Amino acid sequence: MATIDIRGVRKSYGATEVIRGIDCAVADGELLVLLGPSGCGKSTLLRMVAGLERITEGEIAIAGRVVNALEPKDRNIAMVFQNYALYPHMSVYDNMAYGLRIKGMSRAAIDAAVQKAAATLELTPFLARKPKELSGGQRQRVAMGRAIVREPDVFLFDEPLSNLDAKLRTQMRVEIKKLQGRLGVTSLYVTHDQVEAMTLADRIVVMHAGAAEQIGTPMEIYARPASVFVGGFIGSPPMNMLPAEVAADGAALTLAGGVQLPLGQSLGAEHRGRPVTLGIRPEHLHPGAEAPGALPALVDLVEALGADTVVHARLPGGAALLCRLPGDSAVARGARLALHPAPGALHLFDPASGRRLPEG
């Protein structure tokens, strides 16, 4: 079974610690995505799995074998890079065959492997072409084909779609997901694009400042973000974060400007009468009649995006609020809206730590 186990892994450059004790595992055949902003350590962690960076502390095992001391060539991995890393003077066929020739495979075995991978990736008509004669999407498929022919234990993807335009990224996301499902190869995938992560991943590791903020399925992370960071990073537009205070009886919240909002969930006694950070996703706010429990908002800006309309508004205390409505919503700048949160749509976080507050 091809699994990846990352146990207590740390990485430091001198006194600067950039990976701060990561523990996670990739199951056999799973596609796990490392997601986070630039500088969070996700590519460094991937490079440690690949053997391109030394581990300061902890251990990494691939297919049950600890690989800390192994060179990249001895780990039976294949890596797909952001910049394709194709040999410009070689044909598509030779690019895909190169690693197999280095391994000393027979010409017949090489040809069979290349032809099979080319058919899988719809590259057969392009095998005689040079990389400069291909589109960006075709080059990325060649890079993937070069990885497939080696039949590795593990695929490692380092932001492979970031050089493509938006339309091609969408197409390649679909191709990668289908391909990974057909091949069933254990895969570790790095991206800063949360849409890419949500659509591709079996599970996601959301990384922040060298640590794993949350690990879970895309819908687990969307529905119950573990921290203010995760809530703001997952979802587009991002989750609204509003300062609030819990009533002494725990039944309601008071927002800036005196706006009252029924809490609708139980909260530990230690949090009653104390400040919290309230999170509400823009898509969970719905306009309706003015009534207790609605947020009175003044519209500052309307973005008509076709399928959706994103409304930028302000609450009486001045706090900014985003609301995502259907594309045919008739909302104008200066309008006043009464926005009703959907049932169960309130997320409460500790203002000091940023962590989600336990319910009950």
Side-chain angles (χ1 to χ4, degrees):
M1 285 177 57
T3 57
I4 306 172
D5 292 289
I6 298 170
R7 299 187 281 256
V9 168
R10 295 178 179 272
K11 174 66 178 179
S12 298
Y13 296 103
T16 304
E17 190 174 43
V18 295
I19 298 292
R20 300 187 288 117
I22 299 285
D23 288 280
C24 67
V26 191
D28 185 42
E30 181 180 32
L31 194 159
L32 184 77
V33 172
L34 302 176
L35 172 68
S38 297
C40 71
K42 57 189 185 296
S43 289
T44 300
L45 182 58
L46 187 82
R47 288 172 63 83
M48 286 194 286
V49 174
L52 302 174
E53 292 274 0
R54 294 183 64 83
I55 300 167
T56 303
E57 187 179 314
E59 64 181 20
I60 293 173
I62 298 175
R65 177 179 62 160
V66 175
V67 297
N68 289 33
L70 294 183
E71 294 296 318
K73 64 182 178 63
D74 299 321
R75 298 189 180 202
N76 198 23
I77 58 167
M79 196 158 180
V80 180
F81 294 94
Q82 173 181 340
N83 62 358
Y84 319 132
L86 301 178
Y87 296 108
H89 62 289
M90 291 185 183
S91 67
V92 168
Y93 184 101
D94 288 335
N95 265 283
M96 292 171 66
Y98 182 76
L100 303 183
R101 291 192 180 119
I102 294 296
K103 291 172 67 175
M105 289 177 61
S106 70
R107 182 174 298 180
I110 291 171
D111 187 65
V114 171
Q115 294 293 346
K116 181 181 177 181
T120 299
L121 294 165
E122 299 180 356
L123 288 170
T124 303
F126 310 107
L127 287 175
R129 295 189 186 181
K130 299 287 179 62
K132 67 180 180 182
E133 301 173 271
L134 304 177
S135 69
Q138 289 165 343
R139 291 179 198 176
Q140 192 55 271
R141 278 187 279 159
V142 175
M144 291 170 61
R146 185 177 53 193
I148 290 169
V149 296
R150 295 176 52 198
E151 297 185 348
D153 286 334
V154 167
F155 278 158
L156 304 178
F157 294 91
D158 189 10
E159 306 230 28
L161 307 184
S162 59
N163 284 340
L164 305 180
D165 62 42
K167 183 178 179 180
L168 242 121
R169 276 203 306 273
T170 301
Q171 293 173 350
M172 287 300 298
R173 278 205 312 265
V174 173
E175 289 192 31
I176 289 174
K177 186 67 174 177
K178 287 180 178 177
L179 181 67
Q180 202 272 340
R182 284 201 303 270
L183 299 176
V185 178
T186 306
S187 302
L188 190 59
Y189 189 109
V190 162
T191 183
H192 64 273
D193 185 326
Q194 52 116 342
V195 174
E196 207 170 293
M198 294 288 284
T199 53
L200 281 173
D202 295 312
R203 287 187 304 138
I204 297 172
V205 179
V206 183
M207 292 188 62
H208 176 50
E213 282 282 305
Q214 187 172 0
I215 302 174
T217 67
M219 287 312 299
E220 285 171 349
I221 288 172
Y222 171 84
R224 290 184 58 80
S227 67
V228 167
F229 174 81
V230 175
F233 196 77
I234 297 291
S236 181
M239 180 180 281
N240 294 294
M241 297 293 177
L242 305 169
E245 186 171 296
V246 182
D249 62 1
L253 297 172
T254 302
L255 280 63
V259 176
Q260 297 286 314
L261 196 61
L263 190 51
Q265 64 190 64
S266 60
L267 197 62
E270 68 274 19
H271 300 295
R272 296 176 185 178
R274 302 189 64 178
V276 295
T277 298
L278 167 65
I280 312 176
R281 293 204 177 277
E283 54 270 32
H284 293 158
L285 290 169
H286 308 293
E290 292 187 14
L295 297 173
L298 177 66
V299 176
D300 284 333
L301 175 69
V302 178
E303 293 181 290
L305 304 177
D308 300 315
T309 295
V310 176
V311 176
H312 298 248
R314 279 179 292 117
L315 295 178
L321 194 71
L322 289 171
C323 175
R324 194 172 80 187
L325 304 176
D328 59 359
S329 300
V331 181
R333 184 176 181 274
R336 295 187 179 276
L337 299 177
L339 297 172
H340 297 255
L346 305 185
H347 305 265
L348 300 180
F349 304 96
D350 183 280
S353 68
R355 303 302 296 178
R356 185 183 190 89
L357 295 181
E359 298 176 15

